[in-house]
Amino acid sequence: MYRYDEFDHGFVTQRTEQFKDQVRRRLAGELTEEEFKPLRLMNGLYLQLHAYMLRVAIPYGTLNGRQMRKLAHIARTYDRGYGHFTTRQNIQFNWPRLEDTPAILEELAEVEMHAIQTSGNCIRNVTADHFAGAAADEIADPRPYAEILRQWSSLHPEFSFLPRKFKIAITGAPNDRAAVQVHDIGLQLARGEDGNIGFVVFVGGGLGRTPMIGRKVRDFLPEEDLLAYSEAILRVYNRYGRRDNKYKARIKILVHETGLEELKADIEAEFEKIRYGVLRLPDEAVRRIEAYFAPPPLEVLAVDDAAVEARKASDPAFAQFLAHNLNAHRVPGHTSVTISMKPIGGIPGDASDAQMDVIADLAERYAHDEIRISHEQNVILPHVKIADLPALFDTLVANGMAEGNSGLITDIIACPGMDYCALATARSIPVAQRISERFGGPDRQAEIGELKIKISGCINACGHHHVGHIGILGLEKKGVEFYQITLGGSANENSSIGEIVGRGFSSEEVVDAIEKLVDTYLGLRTAKEETFLEAYRRIGEAPFKEALYGTA
């Protein structure tokens, strides 16, 4: 993974010292909250419903054991003993005191971490496939390019005050696990006819109040043009993006209102002006960054391990874990392991300080000291020997992290909702917990198969409900929470926005409504292998709508 150089250390230290002085002035009354707000937001500090919340960047979801232990220490020392992994591959601490935040940032800097640009109208944390550098289907590791984008975008003087926040995602495989088509810029690695690396480029995706799928603007962008083309997109957006209405300020609205062809022409014209200037990526610069991400020395091993197979035959929980929480690795005899942060009845994405310490131990012992955070709020150990799976699983069992539910109905994405967020209009966490408990039986989950439920507590869609196979949006009506359901969303290479099926349901009704949808699917699928999304796309919404609301 990337290691800070002298410039990085100086950059983060200087920023931490600046923020320390800003906090001092706020506490002394020299700055009003209105004056302090833009300063704290650019350093990842929000004022939530009950307390401040600090969002810490985990660039492209990659960290090591030492960094994870530091996050555990911060949770213990400055918070209430836990952190919350987000859909931006970041971690949030929900209860820090304002006077402690400079000390937190100083401690983060000790392990090459920070909170810069995790908020504000700027380029946010660049996200990537959580199996990057390990996946068997990968064309190339996308993280070197994510790091290049991070360095280019950090405190970029032209893009620090954009019309609205701006998000970039990158995937290195044709199977999109980074949701690139629902980002302001989505990048998919590809090889040109000459075999060289480049990118398929999507622009104008995004969720929130007006969900849209990104539009393709380049079938192939050469590697050396990555920064120049990204800069061209941002310049066009910064010039023409609306600043009169924050609800229409995202680049997706600019794409929609301007038209794709006209916007592409503007981007290409800007690109041609700067293409051969200082932003052109020299090959040696790319290879230098790439060297930081050199894969660990992995020995080719037997794919089948007798001890693993014997344990699998005798232990149903271990068998379920293997069936759902492993991803094919590029080196035979190895696998990538998903540690589910979705225990049955638990809070999606939450990790205690003790659990973070355990993850750090496991990474160092079994995964070459590499950890990834997924945008689905889980933790990944990317390089694990298949032979080590029984011992790893036993440690997970002992620490309450062995749920074999990755990709299943209880692997729910949920935002913090009205339990924490000042913007939320309804609670997300209790609904997620009750759905998890309703469908938590291993046999029930296995029977249902792949089904992605995503829950947001307001229209801002931090829980990605628009791209859930079943999406749930919490709203408020006359002081009462109710939940709107969408069906048919997806965030993979065949992305789609879910369709609203009808009136919303009360908090008491919504779990029963989900069960009706699931039972309808089970009764209509053509085979056990047909997933909920496949069945929905085949038969449409009518039978599901009838199950929820009856015949007209």
Side-chain angles (χ1 to χ4, degrees):
M1 60 183 287
Y2 183 74
R3 297 284 190 269
Y4 279 15
D5 60 17
E6 185 177 336
F7 174 85
D8 295 315
H9 280 291
F11 172 81
V12 173
T13 299
Q14 182 184 50
R15 186 58 177 263
T16 301
E17 287 300 314
Q18 289 171 348
F19 189 61
K20 181 189 292 187
D21 186 59
Q22 291 163 1
V23 171
R24 180 196 63 76
R25 286 187 286 150
R26 174 69 186 112
L27 291 171
E30 297 171 18
L31 291 174
T32 66
E33 171 55 30
E34 198 62 28
E35 292 168 330
F36 181 57
K37 182 178 179 179
L39 302 175
R40 64 171 169 78
L41 287 177
M42 289 297 283
N43 290 279
L45 188 64
Y46 285 77
L47 185 56
Q48 294 281 73
L49 195 61
H50 308 294
Y52 284 101
M53 177 271 281
L54 181 66
R55 180 181 294 149
V56 176
I58 304 176
Y60 33 88
T62 294
L63 71 166
N64 59 26
R66 180 168 172 252
Q67 292 171 321
M68 183 65 86
R69 282 199 184 85
K70 178 61 75 174
L71 297 178
H73 164 75
I74 289 169
R76 266 192 302 274
T77 308
Y78 302 106
D79 206 276
R80 297 186 178 181
Y82 70 97
H84 176 75
F85 293 116
T86 78
T87 54
R88 196 106 217 110
Q89 297 180 309
N90 293 321
I91 188 169
Q92 294 180 177
F93 295 106
N94 288 310
W95 300 99
R97 298 187 306 169
L98 176 58
E99 54 265 39
D100 288 335
T101 53
I104 296 173
L105 295 182
E106 287 177 338
E107 296 219 29
L108 288 169
E110 292 173 3
V111 295
E112 302 183 355
M113 299 184 79
H114 61 72
I116 298 168
Q117 291 186 198
T118 57
S119 182
N121 292 337
C122 55
I123 299 170
R124 300 287 185 90
N125 187 33
V126 178
T127 56
D129 181 357
H130 41 274
F131 298 126
D137 62 345
E138 189 172 76
I139 294 169
D141 188 340
R143 293 175 303 157
Y145 304 102
E147 173 59 27
I148 289 167
L149 288 164
R150 185 190 71 82
Q151 293 187 19
W152 159 77
S153 64
S154 294
L155 298 193
H156 193 302
E158 195 173 338
F159 306 139
S160 291
F161 298 95
L162 294 165
R164 198 70 174 87
K165 58 188 176 182
F166 201 92
K167 300 178 180 180
I168 302 173
I170 181 168
T171 183
N175 299 301
D176 178 15
R177 293 176 288 264
V180 300
Q181 293 182 38
V182 290
H183 281 74
D184 298 288
I185 294 177
L187 300 166
Q188 181 177 340
L189 265 69
R191 289 199 182 272
E193 294 179 0
D194 57 4
N196 290 328
I197 287 289
F199 308 89
V200 181
V201 184
F202 298 89
V203 170
L207 303 177
R209 187 175 296 268
T210 311
M212 294 184 183
I213 300 298
R215 308 288 296 277
K216 188 189 293 186
V217 291
R218 270 274 178 151
D219 288 313
F220 188 81
L221 178 74
E223 176 186 77
E224 62 267 22
D225 293 325
L226 173 62
L227 291 187
Y229 201 79
S230 299
E231 180 121 346
I233 293 170
L234 265 296
R235 283 187 176 183
V236 170
Y237 170 53
N238 206 20
R239 186 183 309 145
Y240 298 118
R242 293 181 61 171
R243 285 181 161 85
D244 63 319
N245 184 336
K246 72 176 184 178
Y247 302 119
K248 296 184 178 182
R250 298 291 293 271
I251 194 172
K252 61 188 177 183
I253 303 299
L254 181 62
V255 173
H256 177 72
E257 292 186 346
T258 304
L260 182 64
E261 293 309 314
E262 182 177 342
L263 194 74
K264 276 175 63 175
D266 288 340
I267 293 168
E268 292 292 335
E270 186 65 39
F271 174 53
E272 286 303 320
K273 293 178 187 176
I274 61 176
R275 182 174 191 176
Y276 299 105
V278 295
L279 290 174
R280 192 169 180 84
L281 278 174
D283 183 71
E284 62 270 19
V286 179
R287 305 290 82 84
R288 178 176 59 82
I289 296 292
E290 201 171 58
Y292 284 106
F293 298 92
L298 301 177
E299 181 185 358
V300 174
L301 301 169
V303 175
D304 296 320
D305 182 272
V308 171
E309 293 303 313
R311 174 73 178 271
K312 181 179 173 181
S314 63
D315 184 345
F318 182 65
Q320 174 156 333
F321 186 84
L322 265 57
H324 300 293
N325 288 42
L326 305 186
N327 193 70
H329 200 282
R330 60 183 179 78
V331 179
H334 296 77
T335 188
S336 296
V337 178
T338 296
I339 300 174
S340 172
M341 306 314 296
K342 319 286 179 62
I344 302 305
I347 299 174
D350 275 14
S352 71
D353 58 321
Q355 288 175 326
M356 287 188 260
D357 281 333
V358 170
I359 291 167
D361 290 342
L362 291 173
E364 292 169 349
R365 192 179 312 158
Y366 299 117
H368 296 267
D369 198 23
E370 288 196 36
I371 304 165
R372 310 286 166 71
I373 308 303
S374 77
H375 80 275
E376 295 180 324
Q377 300 177 293
N378 290 319
V379 176
I380 315 298
L381 300 179
H383 309 292
V384 177
K385 291 180 182 177
I386 288 174
D388 287 335
L389 289 172
L392 189 154
F393 179 74
D394 288 340
T395 302
L396 292 175
V397 170
N399 291 277
M401 294 187 288
E403 198 64 50
N405 65 346
S406 179
L408 300 180
I409 190 170
T410 60
D411 184 12
I412 299 168
I413 288 178
C415 73
M418 207 163 63
D419 287 302
Y420 297 97
C421 182
L423 300 176
T425 49
R427 289 170 294 175
S428 301
I429 291 170
V431 174
Q433 290 174 302
R434 284 163 35 222
I435 292 173
S436 174
E437 290 165 347
R438 177 74 63 92
F439 295 97
D443 293 341
R444 178 78 160 142
Q445 292 189 73
E447 171 67 13
I448 295 167
E450 181 186 346
L451 205 172
K452 296 180 183 291
I453 294 180
K454 305 183 181 185
I455 307 174
S456 299
C458 79
I459 199 69
N460 290 301
C462 293
H464 291 192
H465 67 277
H466 294 295
V467 288
H469 301 168
I470 297 176
I472 302 174
L473 169 61
L475 298 166
E476 179 272 332
K477 188 174 184 179
K478 297 181 180 177
V480 177
E481 297 168 89
F482 73 104
Y483 296 85
Q484 188 180 81
I485 292 175
T486 57
L487 298 177
S490 175
N492 64 10
E493 62 277 7
N494 298 307
S495 288
S496 56
I497 301 298
E499 301 172 33
I500 299 171
V501 291
R503 64 169 177 80
F505 295 88
S506 70
S507 178
E508 292 73 26
E509 298 169 328
V510 66
V511 179
D512 289 337
I514 301 304
E515 187 155 36
K516 289 178 182 178
L517 293 171
V518 170
D519 288 343
T520 301
Y521 152 65
L522 293 175
L524 293 173
R525 67 183 179 185
T526 56
K528 188 173 182 180
E529 293 72 32
E530 185 178 42
T531 67
F532 180 94
L533 183 61
E534 289 168 342
Y536 178 82
R537 287 177 171 174
R538 175 176 58 85
I539 61 182
E541 71 169 22
F544 296 97
K545 195 168 184 176
E546 182 176 339
L548 290 177
Y549 305 109
T551 55

